[in-house]
Amino acid sequence: VEKIEEQLASLRIAKRSTLSEEPAYLLDIDISKPAQSESSRFVAVSCSNKTIRVYNRETLNFLREYSSCPGILNGVRFAHTCDSIVFSACSDGTVKCWDVRVATQKAVQVFSGYPSNVFISFDINCSDLIICAGTEKVEKDTFLVFWDARGITNCATKEPLGVYSESHNDDITKICFHPIEPNLVVSGSTDGLVNVFDINKDNEDDALVSTCNSDSSVSFIGWSGRDYKQVYCMTHDEGFCWWDIAQLDTEEPITLLHVLDVRDTVCIENDSLHYLVGGLYHEKADKLFLIGGTSTGNIHLISCGTDGLSLVGTLCGGHSATVRSFCWNLTDESLLTGGEDAQLLLWKPGAVEMSLAKKASMKIASSVQKRVRVHNSSLKSRKK
C-alpha cells in the first residue's frame, strides 16, 4: 500500500481537455482496451447533454461526438477485443454501438429492448459476447435485458436474447460483468439489493448466485479481491458495503465491511469528504480503494480494509466542482477524472502540466438534475 500511496502522491495533472462550446457534466469515463502492442488510444466520456465524446487518450484532443437526442445516453464502455468500438445505453430502450474509426454520427449497431424499456445502466462482458442493460421501473416492472453482441453488422437492429424480471423491484442503477469470468454479472438497484448472476444457467432462479442487501439505494458496484471473488457497492447516501462471495458455501460471514456513512468515518485533516464517486481494485497490490471528493473539486483516495477505511491521499488543484467520474489505468498508473466543471483531466505520476491554471466553476441549468441522481451532500452525522 505504501507504494500505491507514493504513486498517488506523485500524481500531477498532465493534460486538460479544452472546454467544449456546450459545457456539460462528465458522468462516466472509459478508456479503450489496448491493442496487442499499443497502449490505450481513446477515452470516451458520457455527458449530461445527452452526448458521448471521444478524445485521444494521450493528448485529450477531441475526436468525435455521438448524440442520441431525444434519448439520454447512460454510461459508456469500450469493447474488450476491439479498441475502436464504444457502447452506451439509451433511455429510448436501446443500447447503441459506435465505431470511432468511422466518420458517421450513426450507430453501427442498435440493440433494441422492449417497448416500455428505459435503460439507465449497462455493461458488456469480458469476452464481448453478451450485453446486459438495466431498466427504470415502469409500473411494477424492472428488467435486466440481454443481447448477443457478436457480429456487429451495419446498423442492423438486434432483438434481446431474453430478460430477468424477478430479482429487483426498483430502478436497476448499475450493472457490472466480472472482469475475467464472462458468465458472471452483478446488478445493483435503488431497492438496495446487489445480485450476482451466473448467466450460463437456464433460468433466472437458478442463475441468481447471491443476493446482498446494502439497505440503501445503490450508486456504484464493482468486483475486487484475488480472482475477483468479492463484490462491493456504494449507496446514494454515501454508504459502503463489501462482501466475499467465496464464503457463500461456508460458515463464515460474507460481509467484510458495512459503513453506513463514509463521510462520518474517514478522518481528513483540514478538509472534508462530501461524496463517493466509485471504487477501484488494484490487482498488483491486492487492495481495494474508494474515490471520493469535495464539492470544490478535491479528490480523496481511501483505502479499504476489513478493519475499516482510511485516507491514502488527496489530489488538489484540478477540478473546481464536484467530480462525477474517473477511470484508473493500471498499465501506466494514470488517472482520468471528469466533473461538474466540464473538465476532463489526465493525472500521471510526476507529470508537469503545460496548460493553464484551474478553470472557474461552472453551473449548469438544473434540468440536468432531473435525470442524474445528485449526491446527497448534507453532512449531517448519523447515529450509528
Side-chain angles (χ1 to χ4, degrees):
V1 176
E2 283 175 14
K3 185 161 183 279
I4 309 294
E5 291 184 19
E6 285 168 20
Q7 282 171 351
L8 183 84
S10 72
L11 280 177
R12 299 287 182 272
I13 299 163
K15 289 278 185 285
R16 291 175 193 263
S17 65
T18 53
L19 284 175
S20 67
E21 290 171 17
E22 186 186 353
Y25 292 0
L26 308 187
L27 304 177
D28 194 20
I29 300 174
D30 197 24
I31 56 173
S32 62
K33 312 304 182 278
Q36 280 70 25
S37 58
E38 302 169 21
S39 61
S40 168
R41 294 192 296 167
F42 304 115
V43 180
V45 183
S46 167
C47 305
S48 61
N49 64 354
K50 308 180 182 179
T51 65
I52 300 284
R53 291 184 189 146
V54 181
Y55 297 86
N56 177 289
R57 160 82 175 75
E58 281 303 313
T59 63
L60 295 195
N61 288 342
F62 173 77
L63 301 174
R64 298 252 186 280
E65 184 171 72
Y66 301 109
S67 171
S68 195
C69 288
I72 292 164
L73 295 169
N74 284 289
V76 61
R77 290 286 176 274
F78 278 98
H80 299 83
T81 52
C82 177
D83 74 348
S84 62
I85 298 292
V86 65
F87 300 85
S88 183
C90 188
S91 61
D92 67 3
T94 64
V95 173
K96 293 185 167 69
C97 166
W98 293 272
D99 188 335
V100 177
R101 297 165 300 189
V102 179
T104 176
Q105 289 288 308
K106 287 180 71 174
V108 293
Q109 183 86 68
V110 176
F111 299 89
S112 68
Y114 299 100
S116 66
N117 291 167
V118 176
F119 293 128
I120 56 172
S121 57
F122 89 106
D123 199 10
I124 182 163
N125 75 347
C126 61
S127 57
D128 286 344
L129 296 182
I130 300 289
I131 290 171
C132 176
T135 69
E136 273 188 354
K137 185 175 184 177
V138 175
E139 293 174 353
K140 292 182 178 175
D141 295 326
T142 48
F143 297 109
L144 287 166
V145 184
F146 296 89
W147 296 267
D148 180 341
R150 288 172 297 182
I152 288 170
T153 54
N154 200 23
C155 237
T157 300
K158 283 205 172 182
E159 302 296 320
L161 291 170
V163 302
Y164 291 165
S165 59
E166 306 293 326
S167 304
H168 287 294
N169 56 31
D170 211 335
D171 298 358
I172 297 169
T173 50
K174 286 289 172 182
I175 289 170
C176 186
F177 275 99
H178 195 280
I180 48 183
E181 301 277 354
N183 56 308
L184 293 180
V185 63
V186 60
S187 59
S189 165
T190 49
D191 64 12
L193 299 183
V194 174
N195 289 328
V196 179
F197 298 95
D198 178 350
I199 61 172
N200 281 352
K201 303 294 187 196
D202 289 341
N203 58 61
E204 184 175 351
D205 275 353
D206 293 344
L208 186 59
V209 174
S210 76
T211 294
C212 305
N213 195 344
S214 72
D215 296 322
S216 187
S217 173
V218 175
S219 62
F220 188 94
I221 51 178
W223 299 84
S224 66
R226 292 255 181 254
D227 298 325
Y228 294 96
K229 288 189 165 34
Q230 300 164 357
V231 168
Y232 64 94
C233 87
M234 280 148 232
T235 62
H236 284 108
D237 53 5
E238 317 311 337
F240 171 70
C241 299
W242 189 16
W243 300 283
D244 189 351
I245 305 302
Q247 303 290 1
L248 279 174
D249 300 323
T250 71
E251 298 298 310
E252 298 294 315
I254 74 160
T255 301
L256 298 171
L257 191 64
H258 186 177
V259 179
L260 285 176
D261 192 334
V262 172
R263 296 168 298 188
D264 295 340
T265 60
V266 179
C267 280
I268 301 174
E269 281 183 39
N270 307 321
D271 204 352
S272 52
L273 177 69
H274 294 165
Y275 55 84
L276 294 170
V277 189
L280 60 95
Y281 173 67
H282 197 293
E283 276 187 358
K284 291 180 204 158
D286 182 26
K287 192 77 185 166
L288 177 60
F289 296 94
L290 308 185
I291 285 189
T294 68
S295 55
T296 53
N298 288 350
I299 300 167
H300 300 309
L301 195 75
I302 298 156
S303 172
C304 295
T306 50
D307 53 350
L309 305 173
S310 59
L311 182 71
V312 175
T314 300
L315 298 178
C316 303
H319 292 279
S320 58
T322 299
V323 173
R324 296 295 291 269
S325 52
F326 71 93
C327 188
W328 178 264
N329 186 5
L330 279 175
T331 47
D332 64 357
E333 303 295 353
S334 65
L335 180 70
L336 282 154
T337 55
E340 294 187 4
D341 55 4
Q343 291 194 81
L344 176 65
L345 299 186
L346 173 64
W347 307 75
K348 286 188 167 185
V352 178
E353 186 184 5
M354 305 304 289
S355 62
L356 302 166
K358 173 161 88 167
K359 309 291 189 296
S361 180
M362 183 199 85
K363 287 292 167 201
I364 296 176
S366 62
S367 62
V368 170
Q369 318 240 338
K370 293 174 191 165
R371 284 290 317 176
V372 178
R373 292 181 190 280
V374 175
H375 289 286
N376 168 10
S377 58
S378 71
L379 297 175
K380 292 186 285 235
S381 63
R382 304 220 173 144
K383 295 276 187 290
K384 290 286 179 286

